[in-house]
Amino acid sequence: MQAIGYRPGSALSDPQCFVEISKEYPKPRPRDLLVSVRAVSVNPVDTKIRNGQVFLGEEIDVLGWDVAGVVVDVGADVTLFRPGDEVFYSGNLNRPGANAELHAVDERLVGRKPARLTFMQAAALPLTSLTAWELLFDRLDVTPGSLHDGGTLLIIGGAGGVGSMLIQLARRLTGLTVIATASRPESREWCLSLGAHHVIDHSRSMIEELAATGASAITHIAALNQTEQHWAAIAAIIAPYGKVGVITNHAILDATPLRSKSASLHWEDVVTRPHSGGADMVAHHRILEEVSALADSGVLRSTVTTDLGKLTPSSLLEAHRLVEGGRMLGKVVLEGLSTEMGARHYLRR
């Protein structure tokens, strides 16, 4: 089958950064779905693996862990899906990605694609929805559906992929006042369009910016980017007994400044459940099923802002350039490599 391979540790200037390759068809495990890939999205983790910040091992020769497609085959123990089902998922970084015609994924990490969304629109949702959901409801301990609960959530970096979903989930499913940060006019308008009550500028004093909103005490903070840069402000802003959720990487992050307020620090990493294996993996299936239902009912919307067309080495390079630049609003998507002929060829083997 056709796939787009990458050179580990490569810069965007490398002409062999992405190349077309031919691979054997994936061999589904007992709980696996084999998916005909119709669309993929690019996330910061893809760029970090490509440029060498994250090393997954030599067996991971293809990137791409935000997927929408159609099930063409199932493993012997699959119970949740059948061939012909339209699905979306973020998969598992321990296995090759979906920048290929066909992709194997454990069914417990997969949800049914929202019927009202196209494959391109759906591919933008899985990884960011899972991260935002786990951060808000599992780590920060907010209860979904509690629309009368008080409190205020500050989202640092609201215009990115995770922030775009977190604004929607918090505004639509909780009673929290939602304050996002953004430093450009277009990112400010994006956050407001997604439902943020207020948007402040994180390039200025966030303490002063928050005071100008008149918002109540900040009971929850989601630090989605530049956490080290904003850490002193985060410690000053969080209310006593508040909760701080972090998704960013750091060599060191000193939680000591939170001690005097009895505030708590919570890490969120979407790969934890897939990597842990076992019964907990199916939580990703349940979350994506919830997200799908919310999208179909109009509560959540896709966060696609950039469609780069068919997946090729050059279009994938441009997607990585946009994501690595750190100024993306929402998500960038590409049309997958799957073809009807390729799926038929696999089934005729």
Side-chain angles (χ1 to χ4, degrees):
M1 69 173 183
Q2 182 186 7
I4 306 295
Y6 77 104
R7 176 177 287 176
S10 59
L12 292 172
S13 58
D14 185 344
Q16 298 298 309
C17 182
F18 296 109
V19 293
E20 293 184 357
I21 62 174
S22 180
K23 284 175 58 87
E24 294 294 324
Y25 289 116
K27 296 179 180 179
R29 300 171 185 174
R31 295 296 300 270
D32 276 357
L33 310 177
L34 192 66
V35 176
S36 176
V37 179
R38 302 297 179 84
V40 294
S41 182
V42 173
N43 292 289
V45 68
D46 296 69
T47 69
K48 292 173 183 175
I49 295 166
R50 189 214 76 245
N51 66 27
Q53 293 182 57
V54 176
F55 180 67
L56 297 181
E58 295 181 359
E59 68 277 8
I60 308 300
D61 56 350
V62 173
L63 305 176
W65 291 277
D66 246 353
V67 189
V70 179
V71 178
V72 297
D73 199 6
V74 298
D77 296 337
V78 166
T79 61
L80 300 174
F81 299 95
R82 60 186 180 184
D85 286 344
E86 296 182 351
V87 295
F88 73 144
Y89 58 91
S90 69
N92 189 339
L93 292 182
N94 283 341
R95 304 179 67 177
N99 293 337
E101 288 185 68
L102 298 175
H103 186 237
V105 61
D106 192 297
E107 66 166 344
R108 291 167 290 184
L109 304 176
V110 178
R112 285 171 177 78
K113 181 186 80 66
R116 68 182 292 170
L117 299 185
T118 66
F119 286 106
M120 301 286 267
Q121 292 170 329
L125 293 180
L127 187 143
T128 55
S129 295
L130 288 164
T131 302
W133 187 286
E134 291 182 347
L135 178 61
L136 183 61
F137 300 128
D138 296 342
R139 310 294 164 252
L140 297 182
D141 204 27
V142 178
T143 302
S146 297
L147 302 181
H148 301 293
D149 287 353
T152 300
L153 168 67
L154 174 65
I155 302 171
I156 300 175
V162 175
S164 296
M165 292 309 302
L166 187 54
I167 290 171
Q168 295 186 75
L169 291 173
R171 181 61 191 269
R172 307 301 178 202
L173 301 185
T174 81
L176 294 170
T177 297
V178 181
I179 303 176
T181 79
S183 59
R184 294 173 290 149
E186 59 269 33
S187 53
R188 173 186 175 84
E189 290 306 312
W190 174 253
C191 292
L192 289 171
S193 75
L194 293 170
H197 292 93
H198 306 283
V199 180
I200 66 171
D201 188 344
H202 53 241
S203 69
R204 302 176 180 177
S205 167
M206 287 199 291
I207 297 174
E208 295 177 5
E209 290 273 299
L210 282 170
T213 69
S216 58
I218 305 299
T219 55
H220 302 79
I221 295 178
L224 307 183
N225 61 32
Q226 299 181 324
T227 302
E228 289 174 298
Q229 176 183 328
H230 299 301
W231 190 242
I234 289 170
I237 289 166
I238 192 66
Y241 314 111
K243 298 178 183 293
V244 178
V246 177
I247 69 169
T248 49
N249 296 325
H250 335 82
I252 297 174
L253 190 64
D254 182 9
T256 305
L258 303 179
R259 182 171 182 257
S260 65
K261 294 183 176 180
S262 297
S264 53
L265 174 63
H266 304 266
W267 295 102
E268 162 56 26
D269 195 329
V270 75
V271 306
T272 300
R273 278 178 164 136
H275 286 188
S276 66
D280 196 42
M281 286 176 60
V282 78
H284 274 199
H285 166 70
R286 296 190 184 112
I287 293 169
L288 289 174
E289 292 283 281
E290 291 274 3
V291 169
S292 182
L294 291 167
D296 276 337
S297 64
V299 174
L300 298 178
R301 78 187 213 203
S302 177
T303 56
V304 171
T305 57
T306 306
D307 177 349
L308 293 180
K310 190 73 175 180
L311 178 64
T312 65
S314 60
S315 64
L316 188 56
L317 180 69
E318 178 59 19
H320 275 241
R321 194 185 311 281
L322 290 171
V323 173
E324 202 164 284
R327 296 174 70 82
M328 274 288 301
L329 301 180
K331 297 293 296 295
V332 56
V333 297
L334 303 105
E335 182 185 346
L337 291 177
S338 68
T339 64
E340 187 174 339
M341 182 179 297
R344 268 191 259 161
H345 183 269
Y346 167 81
L347 293 172
R348 285 201 304 265
R349 291 178 314 134

